[in-house]
Amino acid sequence: MTIHAQNRALSLKVDRSACAGHGLCYGAQPEIVDSDDQGYPVVVAEPVPEGLRDQLGALVEMCPERALSVEPPNSEG
């Protein structure tokens, strides 16, 4: 039995050491990413709902610091 990638939950990850806090991600997709008190991104849709997954590629690409990535769920459980 094959599991297709588009049917699996996806998570958006933020590399806080690479992030410069530009705010483009949470400005573009506030239903996926919000900001903390210092202006750094916080993922609020975990895992990303199926209806928002098509936005992830553009969201990752818009980050000038390349601090965002999309990852499949852990295979635990």
Side-chain angles (χ1 to χ4, degrees):
M1 182 169 164
T2 302
I3 298 175
H4 298 286
Q6 65 268 23
N7 293 332
R8 297 173 63 197
L10 298 174
S11 296
L12 182 68
K13 300 297 179 189
V14 178
D15 179 351
R16 290 190 56 99
S17 65
C19 180
H22 295 289
L24 297 174
C25 56
Y26 53 82
Q29 293 296 325
E31 52 279 314
I32 300 173
V33 186
D34 198 358
S35 65
D36 65 12
D37 292 339
Q38 291 80 38
Y40 288 95
V42 176
V43 178
V44 294
E46 185 67 31
V48 176
E50 187 174 343
L52 297 174
R53 290 182 197 160
D54 60 342
Q55 307 297 317
L56 290 176
L59 191 60
V60 168
E61 289 298 316
M62 78 171 33
C63 179
E65 306 302 331
R66 300 293 184 237
L68 301 176
S69 62
V70 177
E71 297 181 6
N74 291 335
S75 57
E76 298 174 4

